[in-house]
Amino acid sequence: MRWSKPLRLHLSILIVSLLLSTSAPLIWLTFSQGREAAIAAGEKQMRLMSLRLVEGYKNALEGGYGAVAVASTLPQLVSRPPQDLEAKQRFFLEVLRTVPNATSIYAGYPDGSYVQVINAQTGHVRATLSPPDGAAFAIRTIAQRQREDVISTLRFTDSETRMLQERKVEPVTYDPRQRPWYRSVLFHGVPVSVGPYVTGMLRIPTLTMAVPMKDNGQIVVGIDVHLDTVSRLLNAQEISPRARSYIVDDRDRLVAHSDPAMMSRILGMWSQSQWADETAAKSLDTTVKAVIRLRQNPMSAKGATTQFDLDGVTYLAQIAPVTFSGLFKGNSIAVVVPLEDLVAQANRQLTRNLAIAAAFVIAGVAASVVLSRIISRSLYQLSDEARRIGDLNFASGGESHSWISEINTLAGALRAAQRGISQFALYVPREVVRRIVDPERRAVAKAHRQDVTVLFTDIRDFTTISERYSPEEVVDILSTYFELLNAVVERHGGTLVQYLGDSLFAMWNAPVPDAQHVENGCRCALEMRAAIDTLNGENRRSGRPELFTRFGLHTGPAVVGSFGAISRQQYTAMGDTINVASRLEGLNKELGTSILCSSAIIRAVEGIFEFQRIGLVKVKGRAREVDVWELTGDTAARLATPNRV
């Protein structure tokens, strides 16, 4: 007698042994690899952080760039102020409403004219301009500079653009033609980025994007983003409390920093002079100089995480370029984290994980017994289900033995299921298999002669459709088409025997007897045509091709059953009846018809359907001519709805 014991006993012993034998090595491996895992996790987090910061930086600037790019194409900006002044101001106001990161937007002209709309709701602007209460925007206008009646005003409006105050600005000392953004655009003749630098009117450090007008390169449109706005995007403390991020430009100047206190000092340096003291700015964060050196390393410049030591502290640095649309070339975002922060955090997490793992080891020992009982019960249920599937076939196979008694039971059930599946695999399609299989019978009926009604379909010009669409689209089109036709065949009690490219072959009265098989075949063809018409309407609306389908119907004797080799068979029908139905379908192309049928169909359903006689037609492969008719409609359906159009 072969030895076997219940699964619960084997599983309990196995789980307890595995937990005890692996717990000690796992604890050792966890501690030894903790540092490397912490560093790897930190590097991954830094890479993700740098990607988010780059996207945030680009998003903060791209909106402004898109606005000035659109502005450069507007005809109302080509005329010099004070012409079209209201239209210019309306557009600029709308830009500031939709680009919240922008400080101001403006246009400079070759005669020194200037129009600027400023967001007056920010603290640094209010400190500089001292706007009246409720002011949302400030509008600076300089026009007619060469005339005695020069226009130089600063107007304040509320959020609804209602005028609150107007000030005259004298003398007119601001000249846009001397500003770096104007001079840079005229020199390069293309969109440029400028900064950081201190603006002439607001006296605040800013980044500028400027573009020449499409119709006049002497006119320049620009938009400003305050450095403080950029710095707010650089929060890196979710990695660790001492993590920092900052932006360095192409001249290795510190543009913005994630630390608010440090950024405030940088802004103070910019505000005190036209250009910040680069040495003093870099000394605020000693890691900046190290990052600038790392930027010369090709691997670091490509985004690789780099390790460096500074003042006895080891840091990890992630550097990523932030160039977009050809602007801000050479700018980089750096994320710098002390390595100690990453390791300390990982060690704390490691301690918690070890405690949890120990609890799971203890719980696993207790749970193994319960789990084994549950699995054993489930296996018996699966075994019973497998036996029910195996009832489709009673052929016996070789026996195998397992040292787990439940597995032996399941193996016996699966052997029975396999014998049933091996029989099913001989038959296609599935719906035929479903009707052939009879749990009370041990074998499938052999081929035999009987009367059947046969329907063939084909899509007109499908080769042309296949040329116009990709293979994936053709498959999708055919899948929708066949799904529709398959449902119609099943509704009328037919069997879909085979798909033949874009055609299908359906049959009635086999394998399931059907006393009205001819009538059902005719109704199926008519409903198919109607369903395809509906599908074609949907295809027209969705831009898909229309699928004009031809049908051939014939009824008569055929040999029906399983054909093929011993190892692979197919359920189908053969004989002259099948060939005639296929030829009738092909005749539609020559006769310009839709549903062609034989006189045998007419004799079986005369008076039930409407037909139009075509006449005797010679068909390929047949010595005698065939009396061909076209099926045009259902008499019963027409009489039931006499008023239908």
Side-chain angles (χ1 to χ4, degrees):
M1 181 177 179
R2 296 180 179 180
W3 180 86
S4 65
K5 294 294 181 181
L7 175 62
R8 59 178 176 272
L9 176 61
H10 293 286
L11 191 58
S12 298
I13 296 173
L14 179 62
I15 291 178
V16 171
S17 300
L18 286 175
L19 288 174
L20 294 177
S21 62
T22 58
S23 57
L26 283 176
I27 292 173
W28 180 82
L29 287 173
T30 302
F31 273 112
S32 64
Q33 296 179 358
R35 182 181 179 85
E36 288 76 7
I39 295 174
E43 290 178 346
K44 180 179 179 180
Q45 194 172 9
M46 290 173 66
R47 284 193 293 271
L48 294 175
M49 171 67 70
S50 66
L51 290 175
R52 288 202 303 272
L53 294 180
V54 168
E55 285 303 311
Y57 184 64
K58 288 182 178 180
N59 291 337
L61 300 176
E62 280 183 327
Y65 176 70
V68 293
V70 171
S72 68
T73 65
L74 299 179
Q76 60 264 39
L77 294 182
V78 176
S79 58
R80 301 178 183 181
Q83 299 178 46
D84 300 319
L85 187 58
E86 291 298 325
K88 295 178 174 64
Q89 293 172 359
R90 280 196 304 271
F91 175 75
F92 286 168
L93 286 167
E94 187 60 31
V95 169
L96 291 186
R97 290 191 182 99
T98 56
V99 185
N101 292 320
T103 303
S104 67
I105 183 171
Y106 42 82
Y109 295 81
D111 65 347
S113 298
Y114 182 68
V115 179
Q116 180 183 23
V117 177
I118 306 166
N119 184 350
Q121 295 176 310
T122 58
H124 49 271
V125 173
R126 300 189 73 84
T128 303
L129 299 183
S130 301
D133 293 339
F137 301 101
I139 303 173
R140 177 77 165 102
T141 305
I142 301 175
Q144 304 176 172
R145 182 185 290 271
Q146 309 302 328
R147 295 170 50 178
E148 293 183 0
D149 55 343
V150 59
I151 297 174
S152 179
T153 61
L154 180 63
R155 293 185 296 159
F156 296 94
T157 69
D158 61 12
S159 59
E160 302 298 327
T161 67
R162 292 186 291 264
M163 177 68 68
L164 298 178
Q165 186 183 90
E166 181 173 340
R167 303 174 188 171
K168 290 188 177 181
V169 182
E170 296 180 355
V172 184
T173 57
Y174 182 84
D175 190 341
R177 296 169 296 185
Q178 303 304 317
R179 302 306 297 163
W181 52 270
Y182 188 93
R183 296 162 67 93
S184 182
V185 169
L186 258 62
F187 179 79
H188 295 286
V190 295
V192 299
S193 56
V194 182
Y197 72 101
V198 176
T199 60
M201 180 175 175
L202 298 177
R203 306 301 300 171
I204 58 176
T206 187
L207 297 175
T208 294
M209 292 163 286
V211 300
M213 288 295 294
K214 182 178 179 181
D215 296 329
N216 187 342
Q218 300 293 312
I219 302 173
V220 180
V221 183
I223 192 166
D224 291 340
V225 177
H226 192 271
L227 291 189
D228 189 51
T229 301
V230 175
S231 72
R232 289 197 295 270
L233 304 170
L234 300 178
N235 184 13
Q237 291 194 345
E238 67 179 70
I239 300 178
S240 81
R242 294 192 295 169
R244 78 287 304 266
S245 59
Y246 41 78
I247 298 175
V248 180
D249 68 7
D250 58 333
R251 295 168 56 184
D252 292 335
R253 294 180 298 176
L254 183 59
V255 175
H257 200 286
S258 60
D259 187 326
M262 199 169 294
M263 188 63 202
S264 178
R265 295 175 64 183
I266 294 172
L267 292 176
M269 292 180 183
W270 279 102
S271 299
Q272 291 171 9
S273 61
Q274 182 67 19
W275 305 101
D277 186 338
E278 296 180 21
T279 302
K282 294 173 185 175
S283 66
L284 296 176
D285 188 337
T286 55
T287 64
V288 174
K289 294 180 180 179
V291 167
I292 290 174
R293 289 194 299 271
L294 289 176
R295 290 213 301 170
Q296 311 305 318
N297 186 330
M299 295 300 296
S300 299
K302 292 180 180 178
T305 304
T306 308
Q307 192 173 124
F308 67 92
D309 296 320
L310 182 66
D311 298 330
V313 180
T314 301
Y315 294 89
L316 286 180
Q318 176 78 37
I319 304 172
V322 292
T323 300
F324 70 94
S325 301
L327 304 179
F328 299 101
K329 293 180 178 178
N331 284 21
S332 299
I333 284 182
V335 180
V336 180
V337 183
L339 183 61
E340 182 183 350
D341 289 5
L342 299 177
V343 175
Q345 183 179 359
N347 285 339
R348 290 192 297 271
Q349 185 65 41
L350 177 61
T351 302
R352 290 193 294 269
N353 289 344
L354 287 173
I356 295 172
F360 273 110
V361 169
I362 297 172
V365 174
S368 61
V369 175
V370 177
L371 180 62
S372 63
R373 292 177 181 272
I374 295 174
I375 294 177
S376 296
R377 188 163 53 248
S378 299
L379 287 174
Y380 280 120
Q381 293 173 352
L382 291 174
S383 176
D384 292 339
E385 180 66 23
R387 285 196 185 93
R388 288 194 293 272
I389 296 174
D391 287 340
L392 294 173
N393 187 281
F394 298 100
S396 60
E399 294 185 358
S400 61
H401 179 75
S402 171
W403 48 273
I404 298 176
S405 59
E406 290 84 357
I407 298 299
N408 288 329
T409 304
L410 179 60
L414 291 177
R415 284 195 297 271
Q418 184 179 8
R419 287 191 291 272
I421 293 172
S422 65
Q423 287 291 319
F424 286 153
L426 299 176
Y427 301 96
V428 177
R430 290 176 59 188
E431 60 268 24
V432 175
V433 175
R434 203 161 43 239
R435 291 167 183 167
I436 292 175
V437 172
D438 185 347
E440 301 300 324
R441 294 163 55 186
R442 292 179 177 269
V444 178
K446 296 182 179 179
H448 60 283
R449 182 184 180 93
Q450 70 176 84
D451 286 339
V452 293
T453 297
V454 180
L455 171 67
F456 278 90
T457 74
D458 185 54
I459 298 174
R460 188 181 76 191
D461 298 329
F462 188 75
T463 301
T464 303
I465 294 173
S466 299
E467 292 176 352
R468 291 170 46 204
Y469 294 86
S470 68
E472 293 80 6
E473 290 174 317
V474 171
V475 169
D476 188 48
I477 291 168
L478 279 181
S479 296
T480 303
Y481 171 78
F482 283 138
E483 183 69 27
L484 180 68
L485 298 192
N486 183 74
V488 175
V489 171
E490 289 184 349
R491 277 199 299 273
H492 290 276
T495 298
L496 206 158
V497 179
Q498 189 176 7
Y499 295 114
L500 306 166
D502 60 311
S503 308
L504 65 79
F505 167 23
M507 180 170 61
W508 282 262
N509 202 35
V512 179
D514 182 1
Q516 297 179 317
H517 58 93
V518 181
E519 182 177 343
N520 288 333
C522 291
R523 284 208 167 87
C524 179
L526 291 171
E527 186 177 334
M528 277 184 174
R529 184 173 65 182
I532 293 169
D533 289 343
T534 302
L535 175 64
N536 284 337
E538 296 173 358
N539 285 352
R540 285 192 296 271
R541 289 188 292 272
S542 62
R544 284 188 168 192
E546 296 184 66
L547 306 175
F548 297 102
T549 305
R550 301 184 287 250
F551 305 85
L553 265 173
H554 185 45
T555 186
V559 177
V560 181
S562 301
F563 299 87
I566 296 176
S567 60
R568 184 69 175 92
Q569 298 188 8
Q570 180 179 3
Y571 183 85
T572 187
M574 294 186 180
D576 184 60
T577 297
I578 312 304
N579 295 333
V580 170
S582 176
R583 300 306 181 194
L584 288 173
E585 178 275 314
L587 281 175
N588 283 289
K589 182 176 182 180
E590 301 176 15
L591 301 175
T593 51
S594 176
I595 306 175
L596 288 182
C597 57
S598 64
S599 57
I601 295 287
I602 305 300
R603 290 192 296 270
V605 294
E606 188 173 6
I608 301 176
F609 297 94
E610 297 177 351
F611 297 92
Q612 182 176 346
R613 190 169 189 271
I614 303 299
L616 295 174
V617 179
K618 178 72 174 178
V619 298
K620 184 178 179 181
R622 226 170 178 264
R624 291 183 297 174
E625 294 179 325
V626 177
D627 192 7
V628 179
W629 297 69
E630 182 181 10
L631 174 60
T632 58
D634 188 333
T635 303
R638 182 179 60 80
L639 293 175
T641 55
N643 296 323
R644 185 176 177 181
V645 178

